[in-house]
PDB file of all heavy atoms in Angstrom:
ATOM      1  N   GLN A  42     -84.300 282.270-122.622  1.00 90.00           N
ATOM      2  CA  GLN A  42     -84.996 282.631-123.849  1.00 90.00           C
ATOM      3  C   GLN A  42     -84.555 281.741-125.009  1.00 90.00           C
ATOM      4  O   GLN A  42     -85.379 281.276-125.800  1.00 90.00           O
ATOM      5  CB  GLN A  42     -84.725 284.101-124.182  1.00 90.00           C
ATOM      6  CG  GLN A  42     -85.488 284.609-125.395  1.00 90.00           C
ATOM      7  CD  GLN A  42     -85.161 286.058-125.709  1.00 90.00           C
ATOM      8  OE1 GLN A  42     -84.073 286.366-126.199  1.00 90.00           O
ATOM      9  NE2 GLN A  42     -86.098 286.940-125.406  1.00 90.00           N
ATOM     10  N   ALA A  43     -83.255 281.497-125.086  1.00 91.00           N
ATOM     11  CA  ALA A  43     -82.737 280.649-126.158  1.00 91.00           C
ATOM     12  C   ALA A  43     -83.261 279.218-126.019  1.00 91.00           C
ATOM     13  O   ALA A  43     -83.686 278.595-127.002  1.00 91.00           O
ATOM     14  CB  ALA A  43     -81.212 280.656-126.134  1.00 91.00           C
ATOM     15  N   LEU A  44     -83.258 278.706-124.792  1.00 90.00           N
ATOM     16  CA  LEU A  44     -83.711 277.336-124.561  1.00 90.00           C
ATOM     17  C   LEU A  44     -85.216 277.186-124.713  1.00 90.00           C
ATOM     18  O   LEU A  44     -85.729 276.068-124.815  1.00 90.00           O
ATOM     19  CB  LEU A  44     -83.285 276.877-123.158  1.00 90.00           C
ATOM     20  CG  LEU A  44     -81.784 276.641-122.982  1.00 90.00           C
ATOM     21  CD1 LEU A  44     -81.438 276.470-121.509  1.00 90.00           C
ATOM     22  CD2 LEU A  44     -81.338 275.425-123.784  1.00 90.00           C
ATOM     23  N   GLY A  45     -85.929 278.308-124.734  1.00 90.00           N
ATOM     24  CA  GLY A  45     -87.374 278.259-124.928  1.00 90.00           C
ATOM     25  C   GLY A  45     -87.794 278.277-126.385  1.00 90.00           C
ATOM     26  O   GLY A  45     -88.983 278.106-126.692  1.00 90.00           O
ATOM     27  N   ARG A  46     -86.844 278.452-127.289  1.00 92.00           N
ATOM     28  CA  ARG A  46     -87.193 278.511-128.712  1.00 92.00           C
ATOM     29  C   ARG A  46     -87.495 277.104-129.228  1.00 92.00           C
ATOM     30  O   ARG A  46     -86.780 276.145-128.940  1.00 92.00           O
ATOM     31  CB  ARG A  46     -86.051 279.117-129.528  1.00 92.00           C
ATOM     32  CG  ARG A  46     -85.666 280.540-129.152  1.00 92.00           C
ATOM     33  CD  ARG A  46     -84.778 281.153-130.224  1.00 92.00           C
ATOM     34  NE  ARG A  46     -85.538 281.452-131.416  1.00 92.00           N
ATOM     35  CZ  ARG A  46     -85.920 282.689-131.782  1.00 92.00           C
ATOM     36  NH1 ARG A  46     -85.604 283.734-131.027  1.00 92.00           N
ATOM     37  NH2 ARG A  46     -86.606 282.883-132.889  1.00 92.00           N
ATOM     38  N   ASP A  47     -88.545 277.016-130.027  1.00 92.00           N
ATOM     39  CA  ASP A  47     -88.882 275.728-130.649  1.00 92.00           C
ATOM     40  C   ASP A  47     -88.794 275.807-132.167  1.00 92.00           C
ATOM     41  O   ASP A  47     -89.295 274.919-132.878  1.00 92.00           O
ATOM     42  CB  ASP A  47     -90.275 275.272-130.227  1.00 92.00           C
ATOM     43  CG  ASP A  47     -91.365 276.280-130.600  1.00 92.00           C
ATOM     44  OD1 ASP A  47     -91.045 277.300-131.251  1.00 92.00           O
ATOM     45  OD2 ASP A  47     -92.536 276.034-130.234  1.00 92.00           O
ATOM     46  N   ASP A  48     -88.153 276.888-132.660  1.00 94.00           N
ATOM     47  CA  ASP A  48     -88.068 277.094-134.102  1.00 94.00           C
ATOM     48  C   ASP A  48     -86.636 276.939-134.626  1.00 94.00           C
ATOM     49  O   ASP A  48     -86.288 277.485-135.671  1.00 94.00           O
ATOM     50  CB  ASP A  48     -88.590 278.485-134.477  1.00 94.00           C
ATOM     51  CG  ASP A  48     -87.779 279.618-133.834  1.00 94.00           C
ATOM     52  OD1 ASP A  48     -87.007 279.338-132.890  1.00 94.00           O
ATOM     53  OD2 ASP A  48     -87.912 280.775-134.286  1.00 94.00           O
ATOM     54  N   LEU A  49     -85.803 276.190-133.895  1.00 95.00           N
ATOM     55  CA  LEU A  49     -84.390 276.114-134.258  1.00 95.00           C
ATOM     56  C   LEU A  49     -84.169 275.517-135.648  1.00 95.00           C
ATOM     57  O   LEU A  49     -83.209 275.866-136.336  1.00 95.00           O
ATOM     58  CB  LEU A  49     -83.624 275.302-133.214  1.00 95.00           C
ATOM     59  CG  LEU A  49     -83.627 275.876-131.785  1.00 95.00           C
ATOM     60  CD1 LEU A  49     -82.812 274.990-130.856  1.00 95.00           C
ATOM     61  CD2 LEU A  49     -83.111 277.301-131.772  1.00 95.00           C
ATOM     62  N   ASP A  50     -85.050 274.636-136.064  1.00 94.00           N
ATOM     63  CA  ASP A  50     -84.901 274.025-137.391  1.00 94.00           C
ATOM     64  C   ASP A  50     -85.176 275.013-138.520  1.00 94.00           C
ATOM     65  O   ASP A  50     -84.913 274.706-139.688  1.00 94.00           O
ATOM     66  CB  ASP A  50     -85.837 272.820-137.531  1.00 94.00           C
ATOM     67  CG  ASP A  50     -85.211 271.546-136.997  1.00 94.00           C
ATOM     68  OD1 ASP A  50     -83.974 271.405-137.091  1.00 94.00           O
ATOM     69  OD2 ASP A  50     -85.954 270.700-136.475  1.00 94.00           O
ATOM     70  N   SER A  51     -85.697 276.192-138.190  1.00 94.00           N
ATOM     71  CA  SER A  51     -85.980 277.179-139.239  1.00 94.00           C
ATOM     72  C   SER A  51     -84.762 278.037-139.578  1.00 94.00           C
ATOM     73  O   SER A  51     -84.790 278.802-140.535  1.00 94.00           O
ATOM     74  CB  SER A  51     -87.133 278.095-138.811  1.00 94.00           C
ATOM     75  OG  SER A  51     -86.733 278.973-137.763  1.00 94.00           O
ATOM     76  N   PHE A  52     -83.687 277.890-138.794  1.00 96.00           N
ATOM     77  CA  PHE A  52     -82.490 278.690-139.030  1.00 96.00           C
ATOM     78  C   PHE A  52     -81.506 277.946-139.934  1.00 96.00           C
ATOM     79  O   PHE A  52     -81.326 276.738-139.831  1.00 96.00           O
ATOM     80  CB  PHE A  52     -81.803 279.030-137.707  1.00 96.00           C
ATOM     81  CG  PHE A  52     -82.564 280.027-136.878  1.00 96.00           C
ATOM     82  CD1 PHE A  52     -83.441 279.604-135.890  1.00 96.00           C
ATOM     83  CD2 PHE A  52     -82.420 281.386-137.103  1.00 96.00           C
ATOM     84  CE1 PHE A  52     -84.155 280.507-135.136  1.00 96.00           C
ATOM     85  CE2 PHE A  52     -83.136 282.304-136.351  1.00 96.00           C
ATOM     86  CZ  PHE A  52     -84.010 281.868-135.371  1.00 96.00           C
TER      87      PHE A  52
END
Side-chain angles (χ1 to χ4, degrees):
Q42 184 182 73
L44 290 168
R46 299 194 72 105
D47 59 4
D48 61 345
L49 298 181
D50 274 328
S51 71
F52 289 94

